[in-house]
Amino acid sequence: MRQVEESDSDLVRKTRSGDLAAYAALMRRHGPRLKRYAQCLLGSHEEAEEALQDTFLRAHRAITEREAPRELDAWLFRILINRCRTRNGRADLVDRSFSAGLAYELSPTPPDVDGIGWRGEIERALARLPEAQREAFILKYVEDFSYEEIQQLTGVRMSALKMRVMRACEGLRELLRGAYDA
């Protein structure tokens, strides 16, 4: 017999009544996508894990102390975006190198003929973009949010978002052209 998956609102309701297993189910459901975003933005597995844990701790506290959000996925992303911005803004991260899947030298190397090396080239290029452009690009093209959703998540004006995405695309194109020509 196939088990019916509980909705986010059912799991939130159970969490509010003290059911930690329900909250763990929410973490399993939303964690992989949130972690992927954090790792793309922060460039480090360890930093992404910390931002994700902080996000889930803050979310749990908010769910149990206040009314739960209607759109849980977007709400969790807003918390995570703020956690990532805070982590990126810390002075001790200014000189950090990208690691855990994104640890590459900044000098480009030719991609593999079979295309496998392109993933690394793209990750290296993403790591070199300014944070605001990287954030907008990842939300738009990796996480597949609409511009309206990104505006709600980030609080950035629509025209600025579109400009960030456009500049990120131009920057990636230039960085990847350099990798290909090397």
Side-chain angles (χ1 to χ4, degrees):
M1 181 174 184
R2 190 177 147 201
Q3 187 174 351
V4 176
E5 197 172 286
E6 292 183 88
S7 70
D8 281 352
S9 57
D10 288 340
L11 292 172
V12 166
R13 187 178 34 74
K14 287 180 177 183
T15 298
R16 289 181 59 81
S17 66
D19 186 345
L20 290 177
Y23 194 65
L26 285 171
M27 290 172 61
R28 282 190 303 276
R29 180 177 294 165
H30 295 280
R33 183 175 183 204
L34 294 168
K35 185 176 180 183
R36 180 182 65 217
Y37 171 78
Q39 192 162 342
C40 283
L41 191 65
L42 297 172
S44 161
H45 174 74
E46 293 80 17
E47 290 292 328
E49 273 296 326
E50 288 183 32
L52 185 61
Q53 288 175 13
D54 192 22
T55 296
F56 279 126
L57 285 172
R58 288 171 184 264
H60 185 267
R61 188 177 316 122
I63 286 173
T64 57
E65 293 175 3
R66 296 188 293 277
E67 188 171 325
R70 277 193 298 247
E71 295 182 29
L72 187 69
D73 188 48
W75 180 69
L76 289 170
F77 256 97
R78 277 193 300 278
I79 296 170
L80 181 63
I81 287 167
N82 288 331
R83 296 294 82 222
C84 289
R85 286 176 176 172
T86 298
R87 296 192 86 70
N88 267 338
R90 289 192 343 214
D92 63 328
L93 290 179
V94 170
D95 294 326
R96 70 168 155 66
S97 63
F98 285 81
S99 62
L102 295 174
Y104 303 99
E105 308 114 34
L106 291 179
S107 60
T109 57
D112 296 338
V113 174
D114 61 6
I116 295 172
W118 272 111
R119 179 182 174 98
E121 292 303 326
I122 292 168
E123 289 173 345
R124 269 194 290 279
L126 268 173
R128 294 180 68 188
L129 290 177
E131 179 185 348
Q133 290 177 18
R134 186 170 59 245
E135 176 185 81
F137 181 87
I138 292 168
L139 288 170
K140 178 68 178 157
Y141 293 112
V142 176
E143 298 305 331
D144 202 30
F145 283 109
S146 69
Y147 281 113
E148 292 77 17
E149 291 169 321
I150 298 169
Q151 184 178 27
Q152 290 175 350
L153 292 172
T154 63
V156 176
R157 289 184 343 266
M158 184 69 67
S159 59
L161 281 174
K162 289 180 177 181
M163 183 61 70
R164 288 177 183 182
V165 170
M166 183 186 79
R167 287 188 176 150
C169 290
E170 289 171 353
L172 286 171
R173 193 171 10 262
E174 188 61 32
L175 290 166
L176 292 171
R177 182 177 301 123
Y180 183 74
D181 294 340

